[in-house]
Amino acid sequence: MIRNEMRWRKSVQEIAPYVPGKSIEEVKEELKLEAVHRLASNENPLGPSLKAQEAIQNAMTSSHLYPDASAKKLRQRLATLYHVHPDEVLTGNGADNVISLVISAYVNEGDEVLYCSPTFPAYRSATLLMGGKPVELPLTVDWTFDLEALKQNITERTKLIFICNPNNPTGTIVDSESLEQFIKAVPKHVTVVLDEAYIEYVHKENYKTGIDFFKDGYPIITIRTFSKFYSLAGLRVGYAIASEERLQPILRLREPFACNRIAIEAAMATLDDTDFTKRHFDMNEAEKHSLKEELTKLGFTVYPSSTNFLFVHVKRDAKVIFDALLQKGIIIRPCKPWGYDEYVRISIGTKEQNDLLIDTLKTM
Ligand SMILES: Cc1ncc(COP(=O)(O)O)c(C=O)c1O
């Protein structure tokens, strides 16, 4: 219970503080370890692409200058990549920032925001902050967003529906035919927001993404990030793609220089580095497959993943496993904050990191 002598805004009191994964530096210092591997935050284990590193070096010399407020170059580059108009692209300081902006721009007090749970926690906190009502429905038994339940729970007060696709922390995706049926059935007063932070890892043939649906004329907002597949989590670049009209209110709210100069250059260079992105995709697929096999051999249940992480049922208190791995310098993500004490989320590392994880688990 928060003492409210300082008169915090009421909606802020209801928000639980975000608990980030432990940082590598923190664990090194606490446990006096030389090497620490973080398999907890779904970062790209290859590090930034060499082209991005070069672009970062070059951009540093201009860091006394404000960035282009509209990030025009990056918007144009993304527009060319996805065959949309640059005015249909809005950039922000990470997808997190874009999610908050969308909710701040659309949700009035009492408006309902629908999504399934467990999922990315920002939908809930940003909705509460605006005085909106988060309506959380359970995922299906196979841990995917329950589109039917979402449809049945739409009311006059529903403003936004978030679909985290693929979903964090479960790694699952909805099938695109069901998604299309769902989007078609949603009434006009509701905007569907597709959070596609991990979409670059999806490799199903003919799989339709939010951008495809948008180009087909459906009224949706798609949110993406450079933090995962493009390996720039530390620089904070996220973006939304939607009609210019739907982006207008978000633009009015966004801080003027949301995307910094270095981040813009690094993002553009990474998009150009297709050797890097292909190498990462292939490595992630191969490592995901073998890590899943090894974890299954250890008696854990590992769910199908369309991402760069695995959702794992360890069938005992996950804290014991988390603590034991931490002592050896391996950080994973327990799913306790989502209410799942026996589950963990493990990011796919390099072969060396994954081998180390498995070898350490075998000793337990
Ligand atoms: C589903 C989902 N959406 C959004 C984000 C936020 O990404 P960013 O680093 O761009 O803020 C994350 C980060 O973990 C995520 O998992």
Side-chain angles (χ1 to χ4, degrees), residues 92-112:
N93 189 30
D96 242 339
N97 173 228
V98 180
I99 292 166
S100 302
L101 287 169
V102 169
I103 293 175
S104 309
Y106 280 94
V107 175
N108 285 308
E109 208 163 313
D111 283 351
E112 292 171 359

Side-chain angles (χ1 to χ4, degrees), residues 94-96 99 120 123 164 168 195 197-198 225 227-228 236-238:
D96 242 339
I99 292 166
F120 193 57
Y123 318 142
C164 188
N168 176 7
D195 178 348
Y198 300 93
T225 179
S227 294
K228 312 294 178 185
R236 319 299 302 126
V237 193

Side-chain angles (χ1 to χ4, degrees), residues 206-256:
N206 301 326
Y207 193 79
K208 277 182 123 177
T209 68
I211 298 175
D212 297 320
F213 288 126
F214 162 62
K215 288 195 291 190
D216 287 348
Y218 294 114
I220 57 177
I221 300 176
T222 302
I223 298 178
R224 294 196 179 183
T225 179
F226 280 83
S227 294
K228 312 294 178 185
F229 186 72
Y230 293 112
S231 205
L232 295 175
L235 288 185
R236 319 299 302 126
V237 193
Y239 59 97
I241 293 192
S243 71
E244 198 185 339
E245 200 185 1
R246 215 165 277 273
L247 296 179
Q248 276 308 313
I250 308 171
L251 265 177
R252 289 191 190 188
L253 286 179
R254 195 190 55 180
E255 60 184 272

Side-chain angles (χ1 to χ4, degrees), residues 77-356:
R77 179 74 181 77
L78 289 166
T80 307
L81 182 65
Y82 297 121
H83 308 287
V84 296
H85 191 276
D87 290 340
E88 293 166 338
V89 184
L90 172 142
T91 53
N93 189 30
D96 242 339
N97 173 228
V98 180
I99 292 166
S100 302
L101 287 169
V102 169
I103 293 175
S104 309
Y106 280 94
V107 175
N108 285 308
E109 208 163 313
D111 283 351
E112 292 171 359
V113 176
L114 257 65
Y115 51 87
C116 290
S117 176
T119 192
F120 193 57
Y123 318 142
R124 176 183 165 80
S125 49
T127 300
L128 287 174
L129 186 62
M130 298 316 295
K133 184 176 165 209
V135 180
E136 294 185 356
L137 305 167
L139 296 176
T140 62
V141 283
D142 56 4
W143 302 99
T144 55
F145 260 59
D146 191 338
L147 299 176
E148 201 44 49
L150 286 168
K151 199 164 73 186
Q152 279 165 14
N153 280 274
I154 295 172
T155 69
E156 280 302 306
R157 297 305 314 251
T158 307
K159 187 55 85 64
L160 300 174
I161 301 179
F162 272 85
I163 299 177
C164 188
N165 198 45
N167 186 37
N168 176 7
T170 61
T172 48
I173 48 168
V174 292
D175 76 81
S176 46
E177 279 108 69
S178 312
L179 187 56
E180 183 153 16
Q181 292 311 318
F182 171 79
I183 293 170
K184 269 188 190 159
V186 168
K188 280 203 163 54
H189 69 281
V190 179
T191 298
V192 176
V193 186
L194 283 165
D195 178 348
E196 295 188 338
Y198 300 93
I199 199 77
E200 294 86 359
Y201 295 103
V202 175
H203 65 127
K204 283 192 161 191
E205 229 174 288
N206 301 326
Y207 193 79
K208 277 182 123 177
T209 68
I211 298 175
D212 297 320
F213 288 126
F214 162 62
K215 288 195 291 190
D216 287 348
Y218 294 114
I220 57 177
I221 300 176
T222 302
I223 298 178
R224 294 196 179 183
T225 179
F226 280 83
S227 294
K228 312 294 178 185
F229 186 72
Y230 293 112
S231 205
L232 295 175
L235 288 185
R236 319 299 302 126
V237 193
Y239 59 97
I241 293 192
S243 71
E244 198 185 339
E245 200 185 1
R246 215 165 277 273
L247 296 179
Q248 276 308 313
I250 308 171
L251 265 177
R252 289 191 190 188
L253 286 179
R254 195 190 55 180
E255 60 184 272
F257 305 106
C259 236
N260 72 71
R261 199 172 253 288
I262 295 173
I264 291 172
E265 294 301 330
M268 300 219 341
T270 310
L271 289 176
D272 288 340
D273 197 347
T274 46
D275 287 346
F276 170 80
T277 46
K278 177 162 186 346
R279 188 157 62 90
H280 171 50
F281 182 87
D282 292 345
M283 185 207 77
N284 186 67
E285 282 299 294
E287 285 305 313
K288 181 161 57 180
H289 182 75
S290 61
L291 189 59
K292 184 175 177 182
E293 242 176 44
E294 293 299 323
L295 289 167
T296 308
K297 277 189 215 157
L298 289 172
F300 301 146
T301 299
V302 185
Y303 295 90
S305 165
S306 298
T307 63
N308 63 342
F309 60 84
L310 294 172
F311 182 58
V312 185
H313 185 196
V314 294
K315 303 172 189 173
R316 68 200 82 164
D317 184 0
K319 188 171 182 328
V320 178
I321 292 181
F322 170 80
D323 286 341
L325 287 172
L326 194 65
Q327 294 303 317
K328 302 286 179 193
I330 302 169
I331 317 172
I332 59 166
R333 186 81 156 169
C335 292
K336 194 181 171 66
W338 283 281
Y340 293 87
D341 293 4
E342 292 193 347
Y343 290 77
V344 295
R345 194 190 67 194
I346 304 176
S347 310
I348 314 290
T350 57
K351 177 164 174 23
E352 294 68 33
Q353 290 175 320
N354 299 333
D355 287 350
L356 182 69

